[in-house]
Amino acid sequence: MAAAAGLNQRLICAGDALQEKGPGLRFTVERHGVSEPAFVVRFRGQVHAYLNRCAHVPVQMDWQQGEFFDHSGLYLICATHGALYAPESGRCLGGRCNGKGLFALTVAEHDGQVFLIEEGD
């Protein structure tokens, strides 16, 4: 599958590396000339990626490396503040996120691989 004009695809991982509601995979993205931590998870069969920072205070979310889901596997949780986010949208569902959601990244899964979709220069 070719990238659309002006878009670049960067391989993140093999699709089978992400199990439903399982550990996420951490990676970095370049934004405004700065490397920022990010993560990708699988929820309801789809892959979703976000910057790895709580909307309340910019701290990384995982309570152990790659562990982003709460014990129920239904929500993404900030290990520091307990803020809960919807895995499929990054929307704040409760806690100290005060209605601010996670910063979503565009990802696509095809040919058994997960790709970050970035805008070209």
Side-chain angles (χ1 to χ4, degrees), residues 43 50 74-76 84-93 102:
F43 184 74
Y50 302 97
L74 297 176
Y75 310 105
L76 300 175
L84 296 175
Y85 300 93
E88 69 277 9
S89 66
R91 185 172 56 91
C92 171
L93 297 175
L102 298 176

Side-chain angles (χ1 to χ4, degrees), residues 20-94:
E20 180 73 16
K21 301 179 188 177
L25 182 85
R26 294 168 57 142
F27 62 100
T28 59
V29 295
E30 292 292 320
R31 294 188 69 241
H32 311 293
V34 176
S35 278
E36 295 198 49
F39 69 95
V40 61
V41 294
R42 183 177 300 281
F43 184 74
R44 295 186 179 154
Q46 301 296 312
V47 292
H48 305 278
Y50 302 97
L51 290 183
N52 189 359
R53 69 170 179 233
C54 182
H56 170 239
V57 174
V59 296
Q60 293 189 28
M61 303 239 320
D62 38 347
W63 48 276
Q64 289 183 355
Q65 184 151 336
E67 298 295 337
F68 296 97
F69 283 100
D70 71 340
H71 68 279
S72 73
L74 297 176
Y75 310 105
L76 300 175
I77 186 168
C78 173
T80 303
H81 305 109
L84 296 175
Y85 300 93
E88 69 277 9
S89 66
R91 185 172 56 91
C92 171
L93 297 175

